[in-house]
């Protein structure tokens, strides 16, 4: 047990630093993988429902020959709200296990960052695909789509749609995590009071990406001028960065709750 | 395992759980855990065992004081957010930290991913022995099987500091003994520091090399298990023969069966007293750690009651 | 097992000595390893190791590098001699003191030991 190199291994030694760096990467990867996998396990069901609802609406509209609302686009671009809810649920069950498995809060944070980015982009991709398919069906029927006040005029601007929806999904996912973890950390009233903090990055995202339910009316109400060009993705990225930073602050030095709390929260 | 067993030190550690200064889970704890030992962590419910374990495993920080963990012969470090120390420290809380609603093997995979010394063979063997079905989710397992899953995680992690906090809850006697056997066998093959908290003191006392008793957030005693055992003695024989030996000792218990009495005393008998007792035909016996523990923790709380 | 008042490592040593004395453990026979002992009796391996180390010091056991512990040649003889020595001081001594206390005459004890006491026991001595 006590050969020289073993006793010389301690937290400050070179060997230990290399081991710790490897452990950090393992922790980050494990947390990110779990997050993405769980989001998509539940997400698959979500997309099935989205397509089913879209089909029903489309069918009704075809019969009435009145196409005033976006049939598939509406449910599809609410993916971000679905991710907000998942963001509230998923990381709560991860903290205790991650730390118990010897991971740091830092590697958990990095894992959540990476995981929410991958989840956000893949959900953005799915949204884009669904929008594009919906739009393609519409044009085949000979209908035209009237552009809303949105950064992308319609489904055909695939690149813009992908960027905007991916950024939305990532920010909303991170905001859900902030809400849940702030509540986990402070509990009760203070947790509730901290919810507005999580809403700030959402506000930034909505007023720069300017699409969907809130984006356009909100920007209009706040008098934010219409964004275009590079300002849009930059604003979205700023929102993501802000949410990531808030998440890091919330997770830094977060105490792992006693068993009873975890059970009452995660069921 | 490539890393030497970990030792731990706590100095003047205070953990407050409420806003008021009097609400203290730990109240000035100074304590050393010897590297390479199996140490028993004993205390009544709410005594502070779980908080102590949470500090060592970097689950939380103390309100004040210092917590230090590190390998035998090396410098000790604050474990909090210290990646190298944390990857080598395993705390298994009652019922374990697991994904409740996905398959148990998902949880095991996560531990296997993060733990540098994870032994999948050992995990598999123990899961078979304890009859834990890893295709079920922990939520669908009985309390005992869920605890067994935690026990397996604790052993398979092979962490230089491993803490089992009442891991036995709900486990039936055969499973508990299978766990103790696996613990001793794996500990001898892969020496490490093990901290074991349990209320079933009778079952585990012989596993301990050291014993720490905490009560109301304070350390009552921390010493080798043999020394704790020496703190009490029982005498059996005719009632009037026993009485002279009782004088000057605290009596923990007194039982009569016809003319025969058994008296349990707190404190040691010196060699001369022992010889005299044997000479007088009295039988000298050991006092179970459980009885000493009950006495120690009762005494201190009674004293506190009196002081109010 | 190991419920006596002495430290557990002394009780383990005592048990092994008794096995050597009774011949259950023959000389040059291998004894259980510390690990086997600890797992068999569910005790701390350090406690078992301490007991074994004590027996090595006494010359009851000896260690063969990389193989294990064995009963030393002549261990039984030495233990017998020691126990004989202690028998009078530790066993017979207290019994005689007790007999004296109860007022049993030495002749009765001698008779008992020699098996000459053919008549049923009657209280031939005054009540204490």
């Amino acid at each position: 047990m006590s050969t020289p190199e073993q006793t010389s291994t301690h937290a400050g030694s070179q060997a230990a630093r290399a081991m710790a760096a490897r452990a950090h990467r393992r922790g980050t990867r494990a947390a990110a993988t779990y997050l993405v996998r769980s989001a998509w396990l539940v997400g698959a069901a979500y997309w099935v429902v989205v397509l089913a609802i879209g089909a029903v609406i489309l069918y009704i509209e075809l019969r009435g020959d009145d196409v005033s609302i976006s049939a598939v686009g509406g449910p599809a671009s609410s993916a971000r709200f679905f991710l907000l809810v998942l963001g509230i649920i998923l990381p709560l069950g991860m903290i205790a296990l991650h730390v118990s498995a010897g991971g740091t809060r830092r590697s958990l944070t990095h894992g959540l960052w990476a995981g929410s980015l991958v989840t956000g982009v893949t959900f953005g991709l799915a949204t884009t695909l669904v929008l594009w398919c919906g739009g393609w069906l519409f044009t085949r029927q000979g209908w035209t789509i009237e552009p809303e006040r949105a950064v992308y005029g319609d489904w055909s601007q695939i690149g813009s749609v992908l960027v905007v929806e991916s950024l939305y999904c990532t920010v909303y996912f991170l905001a859900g995590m902030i809400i849940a973890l702030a509540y986990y950390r402070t509990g009760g009233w203070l947790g509730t009071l901290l919810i507005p903090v999580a809403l700030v990055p959402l506000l930034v995202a909505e007023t720069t990406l300017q699409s969907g339910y809130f984006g356009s009316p909100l920007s209009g109400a706040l008098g934010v001028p219409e964004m275009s060009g590079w300002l849009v993705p930059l604003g979205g990225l700023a929102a993501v960065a802000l949410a990531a930073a808030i998440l890091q602050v919330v997770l830094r030095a977060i105490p792992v709750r006693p068993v009873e709390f975890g059970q009452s929260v995660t069921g | 395992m490539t890393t030497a067993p970990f030792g731990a030190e706590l100095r003047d550690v205070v953990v407050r759980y409420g806003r008021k200064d009097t609400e203290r889970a730990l109240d000035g704890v100074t304590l050393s855990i010897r590297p390479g030992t199996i140490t028993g962590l004993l205390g009544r419910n709410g005594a502070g065992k779980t908080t102590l374990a949470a500090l060592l495993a970097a689950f939380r920080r103390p309100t004040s004081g210092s917590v230090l963990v590190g390998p035998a012969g090396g410098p000790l470090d604050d474990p909090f957010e210290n990646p190298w120390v944390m990857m080598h420290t395993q705390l298994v809380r009652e019922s374990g930290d697991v994904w409740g609603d996905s398959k148990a093997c998902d949880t095991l995979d996560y531990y296997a991913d993060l733990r540098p010394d994870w032994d999948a063979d050992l995990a598999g063997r123990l899961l078979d022995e304890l009859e834990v079905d890893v295709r079920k989710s922990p939520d669908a397992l009985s309390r005992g099987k869920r605890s067994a899953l935690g026990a397996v995680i604790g052993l398979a992690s092979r962490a230089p500091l491993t803490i089992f906090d009442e891991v036995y809850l709900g486990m039936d006697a055969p499973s508990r003994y299978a766990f103790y056997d696996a613990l001793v066998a794996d500990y001898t093959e892969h020496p490490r520091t093990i901290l074991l908290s349990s209320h079933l003191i009778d079952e585990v006392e012989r596993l301990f090399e050291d014993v720490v008793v905490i009560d109301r957030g304070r350390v009552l005693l921390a010493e080798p298990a043999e020394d704790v055992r020496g703190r009490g003695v029982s005498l059996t024989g005719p009632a009037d023969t026993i009485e002279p030996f009782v004088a000057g000792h605290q009596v923990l218990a007194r039982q009569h069966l016809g003319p025969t009495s058994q008296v349990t005393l707190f404190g040691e008998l010196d060699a001369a007293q022992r010889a005299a007792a044997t000479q007088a035909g009295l039988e000298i016996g050991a006092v179970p750690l459980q009885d000493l523990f009950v006495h120690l923790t009762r005494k201190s709380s009674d004293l506190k009651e009196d002081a109010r | 097992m190991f419920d006596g008042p002495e430290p557990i490592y002394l009780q383990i040593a005592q048990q092994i000595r008794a096995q050597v004395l009774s011949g259950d453990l023959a000389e040059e026979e291998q004894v259980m390893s510390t690990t086997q002992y600890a797992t068999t009796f569910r005790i701390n391996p350090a406690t078992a190791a301490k007991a074994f180390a004590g027996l090595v010091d006494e010359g009851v056991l000896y260690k063969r590098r990389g193989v294990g512990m064995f009963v030393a040649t002549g261990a039984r003889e030495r233990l017998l001699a020691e126990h004989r020595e202690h028998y009078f001081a530790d066993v017979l001594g207290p019994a005689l003191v007790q007999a004296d206390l109860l007022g049993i005459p030495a002749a009765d004890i001698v008779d008992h030991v020699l098996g000459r006491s053919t008549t049923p026991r009657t209280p031939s001595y005054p009540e204490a």
Side-chain angles (χ1 to χ4, degrees):
Chain A
M1 260 327 284
S2 51
T3 60
E5 79 253 78
Q6 280 163 353
T7 43
S8 70
T9 307
H10 57 84
S13 69
Q14 191 129 35
R17 276 202 297 274
M19 269 176 98
R22 279 199 300 278
H24 179 77
R25 285 196 294 276
R26 279 200 308 272
T28 302
R29 199 185 321 121
T33 308
Y34 177 81
L35 190 73
V36 174
R37 210 188 52 186
S38 307
W40 269 103
L41 272 176
V42 194
Y46 167 81
W47 286 106
V48 169
V49 172
V50 164
L51 290 175
I53 294 175
V56 168
I57 296 177
L58 201 61
Y59 176 71
I60 296 170
E61 286 178 347
L62 281 174
R63 284 186 49 167
D65 208 25
D66 173 20
V67 192
S68 59
I69 56 164
S70 173
V72 188
S77 51
S78 46
R80 66 188 84 147
F81 304 111
F82 173 73
L83 283 177
L84 179 77
V85 175
L86 272 193
I88 291 173
I89 298 167
L90 290 179
L92 273 189
M94 293 178 72
I95 308 170
L97 201 150
H98 188 83
V99 174
S100 173
T104 55
R105 292 148 186 82
R106 194 165 155 266
S107 66
L108 176 65
T109 308
H110 292 185
L112 292 179
W113 285 352
S116 50
L117 204 62
V118 172
T119 310
V121 170
T122 48
F123 267 65
L125 196 63
T127 307
T128 311
L129 273 176
V130 171
L131 283 176
W132 186 85
C133 289
W136 179 75
L137 274 173
F138 270 47
T139 20
R140 220 177 63 138
Q141 293 289 324
W143 300 331
T144 50
I145 300 166
E146 292 207 4
E148 309 162 46
R149 186 191 178 194
V151 167
Y152 49 90
D154 61 55
W155 54 270
S156 60
Q157 294 169 296
I158 286 189
S160 306
V161 177
L162 177 60
V163 169
V164 168
E165 294 299 329
S166 298
L167 288 170
Y168 263 135
C169 286
T170 309
V171 171
Y172 270 80
F173 201 20
L174 287 169
M177 295 178 194
I178 294 168
I179 292 171
L181 295 173
Y183 181 75
Y184 178 91
R185 179 165 190 167
T186 60
W189 279 107
L190 200 53
T192 315
L193 288 174
L194 281 172
I195 290 179
V197 175
L199 297 183
V200 172
L202 296 187
L203 193 75
V204 174
E206 292 285 359
T207 51
T208 53
L209 299 175
Q210 298 184 342
S211 308
Y213 303 105
F214 304 134
S216 316
L218 195 65
S219 311
L222 291 175
V224 179
E226 271 194 56
M227 299 268 181
S228 60
W230 284 106
L231 277 180
V232 175
L234 278 181
L237 280 175
V240 170
L242 180 62
I246 297 174
L247 183 69
Q248 185 182 34
V249 171
V250 173
L251 271 174
R252 180 185 290 156
I254 198 169
V256 177
R257 290 269 185 170
V259 174
E260 310 83 56
F261 182 90
Q263 277 170 351
S264 71
V265 167
T266 59
Chain B
M1 194 158 28
T2 50
T3 311
F6 276 10
E9 295 236 2
L10 288 91
R11 292 186 202 131
D12 301 319
V13 168
V14 173
V15 172
R16 253 168 42 191
Y17 56 84
R19 298 194 182 282
K20 278 183 272 175
D21 191 47
T22 50
E23 294 173 328
R24 291 178 169 198
L26 291 179
D27 188 8
V29 166
T30 297
L31 176 70
S32 293
I33 308 287
R34 282 197 295 156
T37 59
I38 300 179
T39 297
L41 181 58
L42 308 179
R44 290 162 69 164
N45 289 331
K49 303 186 297 279
T50 299
T51 308
L52 183 66
L55 290 175
L56 293 174
F59 274 43
R60 60 165 303 152
R61 269 181 166 151
T63 311
S64 66
S66 65
V67 178
L68 296 166
V69 174
L76 304 182
D77 284 286
D78 181 354
F80 198 84
E81 284 298 271
N82 184 324
W84 190 79
V85 173
M86 284 177 76
M87 73 193 268
H88 287 120
T89 305
Q90 174 70 65
L91 165 59
V92 181
R93 304 194 288 180
E94 53 167 306
S95 302
D97 285 302
V98 294
W99 311 122
D101 50 10
S102 60
K103 286 186 225 162
C105 52
D106 293 342
T107 295
L108 291 166
D109 287 347
Y110 202 86
Y111 279 89
D113 273 356
L114 263 71
R115 285 289 170 197
D117 301 307
W118 181 264
D119 187 329
D121 291 341
L122 176 68
R125 254 193 344 264
L126 290 174
L127 288 165
D128 275 353
E129 196 178 338
L130 297 168
E131 295 171 333
V132 180
D133 184 356
V134 293
R135 286 160 305 174
K136 281 190 182 169
S137 72
D139 283 350
L141 295 173
S142 69
R143 181 102 201 246
K145 296 292 178 211
R146 208 181 143 126
S147 293
L149 179 63
V152 172
I153 290 169
L155 288 177
S157 292
R158 292 255 167 82
L161 174 60
T162 303
I163 308 164
F164 292 103
D165 188 13
E166 292 186 34
V167 72
Y168 57 83
L169 286 173
M171 281 164 75
D172 56 12
S175 304
R176 291 201 303 275
Y177 285 108
F179 166 59
Y180 304 146
D181 289 350
L183 177 87
V184 174
D186 206 58
Y187 166 78
T188 41
E189 271 177 57
H190 302 273
R192 56 194 125 159
T193 309
I194 292 175
L195 206 56
L196 185 68
S197 104
S198 175
H199 285 300
L200 304 176
I201 300 174
D202 285 344
E203 289 183 3
V204 288
E205 63 168 299
R206 288 196 194 104
L207 301 179
F208 299 154
E209 193 172 341
D210 287 352
V211 171
V212 173
V213 179
I214 56 176
D215 192 44
R216 301 196 171 199
R218 288 169 178 274
V219 176
L220 280 187
L221 63 86
E223 58 190 32
E226 291 291 7
D227 294 0
V228 183
R229 283 167 48 87
R231 284 173 173 258
V233 66
S234 80
L235 296 172
T236 312
D240 39 350
T241 318
I242 286 181
E243 282 318 312
F245 295 95
V246 172
H249 287 281
Q250 278 179 31
V251 179
L252 301 189
R254 205 188 279 267
Q255 282 178 311
H256 300 283
L257 189 70
T260 305
S261 286
Q262 184 177 56
V263 178
T264 309
L265 302 177
F266 188 70
E268 285 177 73
L269 292 183
D270 57 35
Q273 285 174 311
R274 274 176 187 273
T278 315
Q279 197 85 310
L282 296 179
E283 198 183 312
I284 303 177
V287 180
L289 185 55
Q290 172 87 43
D291 294 2
L292 289 168
F293 167 73
V294 168
H295 169 70
L296 283 166
T297 52
R298 182 179 54 210
K299 190 182 129 211
S300 76
S301 48
D302 288 350
L303 283 177
K304 283 203 175 175
E305 293 296 344
D306 293 346
R308 282 182 188 172
Chain C
M1 192 72 83
F2 309 130
D3 290 326
E6 300 89 14
I8 294 170
Y9 73 95
L10 291 181
Q11 297 181 53
I12 295 169
Q14 193 53 46
Q15 193 200 37
I16 291 172
R17 275 193 222 101
Q19 284 176 325
V20 172
L21 266 177
S22 69
D24 285 346
L25 275 174
E27 292 180 355
E28 295 304 322
E29 190 181 332
Q30 185 167 12
V31 297
M32 271 197 236
S33 70
T34 308
T35 308
Q36 285 171 325
Y37 210 90
T39 42
T40 308
F41 297 104
R42 242 171 245 129
I43 55 169
N44 191 295
T47 313
K50 198 170 172 185
F52 282 53
L55 290 170
V56 170
D57 287 348
E58 280 174 35
V60 176
L61 301 181
Y62 73 98
K63 203 184 241 172
R64 273 192 220 157
R65 279 224 166 268
V67 188
M69 299 270 202
F70 293 82
V71 179
T73 305
R76 183 161 182 269
E77 261 323 301
R78 267 201 306 283
L79 284 174
L80 276 174
E82 265 174 48
H83 277 67
R84 279 187 199 116
E85 218 171 278
H86 285 297
Y87 177 77
F88 289 98
D90 294 350
V91 181
L92 198 54
L96 292 177
V97 171
Q98 185 78 1
D100 203 32
L101 213 70
L102 299 172
I104 304 173
D108 278 18
I109 296 171
V110 173
D111 281 353
H112 182 82
V113 170
L114 296 178
R116 261 190 239 150
S117 169
T118 46
T119 49
R121 268 294 149 95
T122 46
S124 58
Y125 28 84
E127 277 173 49

